[in-house]
Amino acid sequence: MTLARRTSWSLVMSASATTSVCARAPRARPRGDSSAGAMSVTGVSTMPPPQEQPSDTGIGNPTTDCHVGPVLPALPYCHSPPVVERCFSRPTLIGARMAGPVGLPVIDTMIGFPHEGFDQYDFIRRQTKDRESKENFEFPVEYMFKDVPKDLPTDDPVSLLLAQMDRFGIEKAVVGVSDPSADKALKLFGDRFVPSGAVSDPNDVMGSVAAIRREYEQYGIRATSVFPSGTFPQVPIDDPKMYPIYATCVELGIPIFVCAGVPGPRIPFKPQEVSRIDIVMFDFPDLVFVTRHGCEPWEDLAVKLMLKWPNLYYSTSAFAPKYYPKAIIDYANSRGADKVLYAGYFPMGLSLERIFRDLPNVPFKDEVWPKFLYGNAARILGLEN
């Protein structure tokens, strides 16, 4: 039975669970330690599925928007891994929070902190040539994303993101260490946030290599990333300038997340042609390479390459679940259960309400879900026990 046919939801509430969750103090996570601490939960009752409520901010109200029916009393707020009912038959609500769509914890490999304004996209605007992108779009892909979360509170970005993570059962989030909020998040909530780097300008080859090493030593980054079409001048996936970067990732034992396929912003796609990945995997067989942003329109080629190269993976970033490519779903349900991992796009382009509302309708097999939501990311990021 697929999740699309499942309509029952449960509410997990108990005084003991509430007390035990909120009594947990943040703890530092040593490198390589991903234990979250199991808790018992009792008192399961059936509730209707949640319905998305109107929200001007894109984050909703965590105490009322998760379900219909009586409004739950607000729990004392805390930043701790969500309590999860280990259930494969239906999603669960924990207090006022929704766990993963099959009752499993989630690692989000693409999520960010809210920012005031849209200056963070200036690096894309300077490359675009059309007037609409330069003058009208706040978000460079507004022609595709119609409900971009805007006007989010920015006085405490870390608390806002943690509240969203708790609400939707996101146990860990991969965040960029270059973000101004990352220091606070990693120091105070190291068990919730996973540090990642970003290669901003691979044209500066030695500078990029030095930055990866510095972030590894300072933050213990578990991965790095690059947006080939977004670099300026553009640096293709298989460009020789990328090779020292790939070699550094192999040496440090960290994966690299790489945007592949036609980019959303109105800039050339050639640097991100999926066919370019083949020679990279040939030259770096030990490199763990994770694609981002869909690989369209070459999803079938991406599947062929994942079958060919054992260290090539696919993440679902920037795609609402209803638009996950069929080729990727079919691959995950057959030979690729260990190769496809969840990534969202909050707050850049998608609300978590929309993502987690649509997720239960993705026709993954039961055995795929725990790997997709958590296991595959935990393995390649070194977060397994």
Side-chain angles (χ1 to χ4, degrees):
M1 177 183 293
T2 66
L3 290 179
R5 298 193 185 104
R6 297 174 186 149
T7 58
S8 62
W9 290 67
S10 64
L11 174 68
V12 180
M13 286 285 290
S14 73
S16 61
T18 302
T19 302
S20 62
V21 173
C22 295
R24 296 188 62 189
R27 60 177 176 83
R29 174 184 53 77
R31 184 166 176 79
D33 175 20
S34 63
S35 58
M39 298 183 185
S40 63
V41 183
T42 60
V44 179
S45 61
T46 302
M47 293 291 289
Q51 296 180 356
E52 187 172 31
Q53 302 293 324
S55 171
D56 294 331
T57 65
I59 62 173
N61 184 329
T63 61
T64 60
D65 287 359
C66 288
H67 64 280
V68 295
V71 176
L72 297 176
L75 295 178
Y77 184 70
C78 67
H79 305 310
S80 60
V83 184
V84 178
E85 180 194 14
R86 303 290 169 172
C87 169
F88 288 84
S89 63
R90 59 184 182 268
T92 58
L93 291 172
I94 311 302
R97 301 172 297 169
M98 182 173 71
V102 288
L104 294 172
V106 178
I107 295 177
D108 195 330
T109 58
M110 190 164 192
I111 197 169
F113 301 99
H115 295 95
E116 187 172 351
F118 293 87
D119 292 347
Q120 65 267 32
Y121 300 115
D122 286 348
F123 78 100
I124 294 177
R125 291 190 190 93
R126 69 174 178 172
Q127 297 187 52
T128 57
K129 295 184 177 181
D130 66 291
R131 180 174 297 176
E132 194 171 28
S133 293
K134 284 187 171 295
E135 299 178 3
N136 298 339
F137 288 164
E138 292 180 309
F139 176 54
V141 200
E142 273 190 47
Y143 71 95
M144 293 176 63
F145 293 86
K146 301 303 182 184
D147 297 309
V148 178
K150 295 182 179 181
D151 301 320
L152 300 175
T154 56
D155 55 324
D156 190 351
V158 176
S159 291
L160 183 142
L161 184 56
L162 280 166
Q164 287 286 288
M165 290 167 60
D166 285 346
R167 180 185 170 198
F168 292 99
I170 298 173
E171 184 173 309
K172 297 180 185 295
V174 176
V175 295
V177 297
S178 61
D179 191 287
S181 298
D183 269 341
K184 175 183 176 181
L186 293 167
K187 287 176 181 176
L188 296 181
F189 309 105
D191 58 341
R192 303 298 304 277
F193 294 105
V194 181
S196 177
V199 179
S200 59
D201 184 15
N203 291 285
D204 179 6
V205 178
M206 294 308 297
S208 296
V209 169
I212 294 173
R213 294 187 182 280
R214 182 171 61 253
E215 292 168 344
Y216 183 82
E217 293 170 1
Q218 181 177 352
Y219 297 100
I221 59 170
R222 303 258 179 184
T224 193
S225 61
V226 67
F227 175 17
S229 285
T231 57
F232 188 75
Q234 290 181 323
V235 179
I237 289 172
D238 58 351
D239 191 285
K241 296 185 185 73
M242 289 298 301
Y243 272 45
I245 294 168
Y246 295 145
T248 303
C249 290
V250 173
E251 181 183 344
L252 298 178
I254 61 174
I256 186 167
F257 287 74
V258 183
C259 295
V262 175
R266 291 168 177 165
I267 52 180
F269 69 77
K270 193 173 181 63
Q272 295 185 179
E273 290 174 322
V274 171
S275 60
R276 295 177 180 274
I277 299 172
D278 188 52
I279 188 62
V280 172
M281 301 312 297
F282 174 74
D283 287 334
F284 296 93
D286 295 325
L287 176 68
V288 177
F289 190 110
V290 187
T291 66
R292 275 181 170 168
H293 288 23
C295 295
E296 286 186 327
W298 302 288
E299 313 96 287
D300 289 323
L301 176 58
V303 168
K304 292 291 186 182
L305 292 177
M306 283 189 283
L307 286 168
K308 179 180 180 181
W309 300 112
N311 285 328
L312 179 60
Y313 296 81
Y314 180 102
S315 70
T316 59
S317 62
F319 273 60
K322 68 182 295 184
Y323 297 117
Y324 287 175
K326 183 178 184 300
I328 298 301
I329 295 173
D330 291 345
Y331 174 60
N333 282 335
S334 54
R335 299 175 64 182
D338 296 324
K339 303 294 287 291
V340 181
L341 50 147
Y342 167 75
Y345 202 41
F346 174 82
M348 294 78 80
L350 293 169
S351 69
L352 291 175
E353 282 89 352
R354 180 178 182 185
I355 292 172
F356 281 84
R357 179 194 66 205
D358 291 353
L359 261 181
N361 296 320
V362 178
F364 284 141
K365 294 180 178 178
D366 284 351
E367 60 268 25
V368 172
W369 281 107
K371 296 180 178 182
F372 170 70
L373 292 173
Y374 192 96
N376 293 339
R379 186 178 69 255
I380 68 173
L381 293 170
L383 300 174
E384 293 178 308
N385 289 338

